[in-house]
Amino acid sequence: MTNSNLISILVLLFSLHYLTESSKLSEAELKSFFDNDYDQNETYWCTKLQEANWEFESDLENSEAEENLVNVILQAAEYNKQLWKMYFKDVTPDDYQDPDLKRKVMLARMLGKSVLENDKLAELTNITNTMVEIYSTGKICPYRKKNCDISTEGYNLDPDLNSLFASSRDYNELSYSWKAWRDQTGGKMRSLFERYVNLSNEASVLNGYQDNSEEWLVLFESLDFIKQIDDLWLQVEPLYTELHKFVSSKLKARYGDDLDISDGLLPAHILGNMWAQEWTNINEHVKPFPATKGQNITDALRKKGYNVKKMFETSDDFYKSLGLLPNDMSYNTAQGAIIEKPKDGREMVCHASAWDFCDRKNFRIKMCTNVNAEDFITIHHEMGHIQYFLLYKDQPVIYREGANPGFHEAIGDTIALSVDTPKHLHKIGLLDEYVDDYQTSINTLMSIALSKVAFLPYGLLLDKWRWDVFKGKITMNNWNTHYWEYRKQYQKLKPPVERSENDFDPGAKFHVAGDVQYISYFVAHIAQFQFFKSLCIAAGEYDPQTKYQPLHKCDFYQSKAAGEKLRAGLSLGTSKHWSVAMKAITGQEKMDAGPLLEYFEPLYQFLKSFNQVYNSTI
Ligand code: X8Z
Ligand code: ZN
């Protein structure tokens, strides 16, 4: 037994001894409990869980690390269950007067998966770990060598298939690779996923919910949350429709007879991304004004001698320029961060993530970074998580979360919207020439729309599908069909090859395999434009009355006033309802697609007239 195992068992025994019988604490007692024992014990378990998870995810073939993770999860669950029985089983927020205490009781009562009996919790953990392993270690033979030795010649997702989808324009190579990846990942998870759904639902029912989807949505603290996001989609759908039409016409011109779009649907494999969730990589082929000079940022990064570390430092500089906190520990490999794929062939979860070890000092990024424009933006995304961790680190541990999960996903993206302007790229030497004319503007907006607008229906549908699964609205023999119904309805996409119920295409996406809810990214893609607009106004880079300079040209680099806005909202953590944080950052309480539409307005007008003319000529 390792030292840390021994310590954790001692802490557990101490905790169990201490928690002997149920008691309803008075207002003062509960307050003191939250401030002291609760905070210390939760911090302890939070750190232990993060450490164990990190060890597992950064070395997937280390069975000791996997075993340890299961043990720590079981021990933490045991502690949580005892705590719940002792202090929270018989109380509700209404039993207390102080609004802060009410909120803490509401949050502390959430037991999550810990509610399950040990054997079921261990089974569920093992299932999720196995799905993550299948996803993260999946390999396929290359198109031109279908009978390869997979261990030496196989393509992995990161970087092989990601770069293949970004750069190949070979219709058949892409459709072969698209299918092969799904065969090797999702297709191998069907029955695991079935058990995962049942066990997750079982836990949620024990926690008093109808099913797991209901439990997921509690974190958004809005009774009409689904209506809110459906309304947001209706607001942005016309913009997506025009973008889809435009991209379809450009791709038709490129692929000719290979591409049949007579049904109004695009095949999902030619959009520059394995999941067709964002289309930036086909930018060169759909540029509205192809003759206008632009610069490829990937080339610029390489030409200017950027390495991975320099990309992180550049992002860190941006945050610091706003008067926000230095992020350097998060990408310091001497302090444990992993920012490049290990060269020793070790298998790990490469999907980028940011980690808070709950000790107020240890924050890390884990990412298999490559020197390219996409990863440069992802770095800013991950640094946004770290900045959030840092800004709420002095809150009690129970409040160290995003105002809602969508906020966490929106921060780095807000920063990246400013970084990704030609004006800023020019400032930091990644763009030689900054031409401020109409054609360049539309080209730039298109490139951002391929990432942000194209993402919206995907961000919405993935969890619509999972909610239906958890609710039992669809049964297992309809899972894949239903998924493609949603892909068709929202994204106007179709599979490039025939699908059946032997396939399980949702499982070929990290967040499905890894039990990570996804609607937060949809929320983030709306909210980041609200945050962006507000930071631009604070920086004096945008005037909503005169609109003298359009919103998409704003760069709030070095604006301490913009930094202050973010700080005010983010340092709250989840201590208040998210509408309070929203108000602190934007001045208004609700989610609103208005700023996104305002940002893309010039592009929307361009697309509408282009599509009208195009339609009348075919
Ligand atoms: O998963 C992520 C981040 C980590 S939180 C890299 N994203 C979503 C995805 O990759 O599917 C960022 C955008 C959407
Ligand atoms: Zn994220």
Side-chain angles (χ1 to χ4, degrees), residues 351-354 381-382 385 408-410 413 511 521:
H351 192 91
S353 51
H381 175 97
E382 296 308 327
H385 288 306
H408 234 302
E409 299 305 336
D413 285 14
H511 302 71
Y521 299 102

Side-chain angles (χ1 to χ4, degrees), residues 462-508:
L462 197 60
D463 275 358
K464 280 208 174 273
W465 177 83
R466 272 192 291 190
W467 298 336
D468 288 351
V469 170
F470 285 128
K471 285 191 183 317
K473 275 193 183 170
I474 42 158
T475 55
M476 192 176 175
N477 46 22
N478 256 321
W479 277 354
N480 216 42
T481 312
H482 189 60
Y483 175 70
W484 281 104
E485 281 164 2
Y486 273 151
R487 290 271 261 179
K488 179 176 171 185
Q489 177 186 340
Y490 287 105
Q491 283 187 290
K492 299 190 181 73
L493 297 185
K494 59 188 169 191
V497 292
E498 209 185 318
R499 309 312 282 153
S500 79
E501 286 302 328
N502 291 325
D503 301 308
F504 182 55
D505 296 329

Side-chain angles (χ1 to χ4, degrees), residues 33 213 418 462 520 537 551:
F33 175 64
S213 71
S418 180
L462 197 60
S520 51
I537 295 171
L551 183 52

Side-chain angles (χ1 to χ4, degrees), residues 18-34:
Y18 171 65
L19 308 166
T20 44
E21 57 186 82
S22 167
S23 63
K24 189 166 165 190
L25 300 184
S26 70
E27 193 108 357
E29 285 167 338
L30 188 60
K31 188 176 175 325
S32 157
F33 175 64
F34 271 125

